[in-house]
Amino acid sequence: MTPLVPLQAALSLTVVALLLLFLAIVTVWQMVEIVDATEKRALTVFGEYRKLLEPGIHFIPPFVSATHRFDMRTQTLDVPSQEAITIDNSPVTADAVVYIRVMDAKRAFLEVDDYKRAVSNLAQTTLRAVIGDMELDDTLSRRTQINARIREELDEPTDEWGVRVESVEVREVTPSQGVKGAMEQQTSAERRRRAMILEAQGERRSAVETAEGDKQSNIIRAQGEKQSQILEAQGDAVSTVLRAKSAESMGERAIIEKGMETLESIGQGESTTFVMPQELTSLVGRYGKHLTGSDTKITEGELDSLEFDEETRELLGLDNIADLIAGIDEEAEVDLEEMEREADAIKQGRDVDSGSGDGIEVSNDEAEYEMEER
């Protein structure tokens, strides 16, 4: 029996040592508090708030202390779908997302039980209130305004909790099925109206473009006809001038021939005194002065009386030649001197240069005919 006593004592000492070791390990575990870089912790001893534990390692009283963790990063809270009725009695369903951040961990610990749940419930009621103050069309189109009003409503109470609302985003606003059907019909009607307006505008634009094209075509056609008439009138004027000059030349030659016949008949008479017309004496003097050795003298104004009478000038249209020439464009003016030079060239049998744009082309038959007449 004696050997059993030391054995029991050894076992007891071993158990006590193990208990003491376990107690020491637990005590050290309770004393050491490691705080992450993204959080802060509120320390209480015997339920009394002592301080905030910053990121790092801390030693606290064991077994009588407690810490409460607060994440200092921006956190996301989902606001469940809320049914609301707009100011124009249209039922809608809306949900949102709230972004918050703990700015003061002490107030978040002491002023509110659970700041996340508190912010979520406050956001739900605020969302319903804001939508209830708006019309249906505004709830669907003015998301930014809804977000700003919800954030404004949440700022004041959350500041007292040491929490800042950084942003509020309404994710979806869904009208009821009946309202959706009415909206689809309205949208379809609006699109049909716009399509009809665009089609009418296109037809009007097409008609305007067609009319404009017809107008331009008519203007160009009228300008072409005008230019053609101008050129035709210019050609007639030139032809009239040439005919007038030819008639004047032929009339003078006829007077000369008639005068020669008269002189011949006068020379056969017995009288020694003759009375001759002034025109005949002028013509004889005009052509006689060019003869070699002629002693014919012409006084001033003596040979200037060879003119057509009024009836002949009116018949030939000589009085209108100046008016016709004045009405011709600069581009269609005829160089009379060039025409005379060409006529002389035809008389002498030379070729006429027809390369210039302002000259007059004369064929060989016309030249021969002109030479025969002259």
Side-chain angles (χ1 to χ4, degrees):
M1 298 294 297
T2 305
L4 293 176
V5 175
L7 182 58
Q8 292 178 352
L11 290 174
S12 298
L13 291 174
T14 302
V15 171
V16 171
L18 291 174
L19 290 174
L20 292 175
L21 180 60
F22 177 75
L23 181 60
I25 293 173
V26 172
T27 301
V28 173
W29 177 261
Q30 289 289 322
M31 289 178 60
V32 177
E33 188 75 20
I34 299 176
V35 181
D36 292 337
T38 59
E39 63 184 18
K40 290 183 180 181
R41 297 187 183 184
L43 174 64
T44 59
V45 178
F46 292 106
E48 180 184 1
Y49 173 79
R50 293 294 180 88
K51 64 178 179 177
L52 287 176
L53 301 180
E54 300 291 336
I57 186 169
H58 300 272
F59 295 97
I60 60 175
F63 306 111
V64 293
S65 301
T67 58
H68 303 272
R69 178 178 175 272
F70 292 92
D71 195 337
M72 305 303 293
R73 295 173 296 180
T74 300
Q75 303 173 58
T76 303
L77 298 180
D78 289 328
V79 179
S81 297
Q82 302 295 311
E83 293 184 359
I85 298 178
T86 61
I87 196 172
D88 53 354
N89 298 323
S90 296
V92 296
T93 302
D95 60 352
V97 178
V98 181
Y99 298 90
I100 63 173
R101 186 171 185 177
V102 177
M103 304 303 296
D104 190 345
K106 178 180 178 180
R107 296 176 66 180
F109 175 67
L110 298 176
E111 300 294 336
V112 63
D113 180 19
D114 186 349
Y115 70 92
K116 290 184 179 181
R117 184 166 57 86
V119 172
S120 177
N121 292 336
L122 183 60
Q124 295 175 31
T125 58
T126 305
L127 177 61
R128 289 196 298 269
V130 171
I131 291 178
D133 291 338
M134 302 178 68
E135 295 183 354
L136 176 62
D137 293 339
D138 294 338
T139 61
L140 298 176
S141 60
R142 298 184 179 181
R143 298 290 183 89
T144 304
Q145 182 177 351
I146 297 175
N147 297 338
R149 287 191 58 186
I150 294 175
R151 181 179 177 183
E152 183 180 353
E153 294 292 336
L154 294 178
D155 274 341
E156 185 176 352
T158 55
D159 285 344
E160 297 179 359
W161 303 336
V163 178
R164 184 179 70 185
V165 177
E166 294 186 340
S167 179
V168 177
E169 296 293 334
V170 175
R171 290 187 296 191
E172 186 176 4
V173 178
T174 306
S176 63
Q177 293 299 325
V179 175
K180 278 186 177 180
M183 292 176 62
E184 290 176 358
Q185 293 179 1
Q186 180 182 1
T187 304
S188 178
E190 180 66 19
R191 290 182 177 178
R192 287 196 299 270
R193 183 182 68 84
R194 292 181 180 179
M196 294 175 63
I197 292 174
L198 291 176
E199 183 177 359
Q201 290 178 347
E203 292 177 355
R204 181 172 64 86
R205 184 61 180 272
S206 176
V208 170
E209 293 293 339
T210 302
E212 186 68 22
D214 293 340
K215 175 184 174 183
Q216 294 294 333
S217 177
N218 293 334
I219 291 174
I220 294 173
R221 189 182 300 110
Q223 289 177 347
E225 293 176 356
K226 175 184 175 183
Q227 187 69 20
S228 175
Q229 293 175 1
I230 290 174
L231 294 177
E232 185 177 355
Q234 291 172 350
D236 292 341
V238 173
S239 177
T240 302
V241 171
L242 294 178
R243 286 198 301 269
K245 290 180 67 64
S246 176
E248 184 178 359
S249 176
M250 291 177 66
E252 184 175 339
R253 184 168 60 184
I255 292 173
I256 295 173
E257 291 177 357
K258 190 65 175 176
M260 294 299 104
E261 293 176 0
T262 302
L263 289 175
E264 183 179 356
S265 62
I266 290 175
Q268 294 176 1
E270 298 178 357
S271 176
T272 59
T273 302
F274 305 100
V275 178
M276 299 180 65
Q278 183 179 359
E279 291 82 357
L280 183 59
T281 58
S282 299
L283 290 173
V284 171
R286 181 182 302 176
Y287 288 93
K289 71 175 183 174
H290 297 289
L291 298 177
T292 305
S294 174
D295 57 353
T296 303
K297 296 181 180 180
I298 301 175
T299 60
E300 184 179 357
E302 181 180 357
L303 299 179
D304 295 338
S305 61
L306 182 58
E307 294 181 357
F308 293 105
D309 56 14
E310 183 178 354
E311 183 178 356
T312 305
R313 294 184 67 85
E314 182 178 357
L315 179 64
L316 295 177
L318 298 178
D319 294 333
N320 298 327
I321 291 177
D323 296 337
L324 291 174
I325 294 176
I328 299 176
D329 247 351
E330 265 186 351
E331 298 176 357
E333 286 187 356
V334 178
D335 192 346
L336 298 180
E337 295 181 0
E338 183 67 23
M339 292 172 58
E340 292 178 358
R341 287 197 297 271
E342 291 177 359
D344 293 338
I346 292 173
K347 286 181 180 181
Q348 298 175 10
R350 296 199 304 270
D351 293 335
V352 180
D353 185 10
S354 59
S356 62
D358 297 333
I360 300 177
E361 297 182 1
V362 181
S363 63
N364 293 331
D365 294 338
E366 292 176 351
E368 293 176 1
Y369 175 75
E370 181 70 21
M371 291 175 65
E372 290 176 0
E373 283 193 348
R374 294 185 179 274

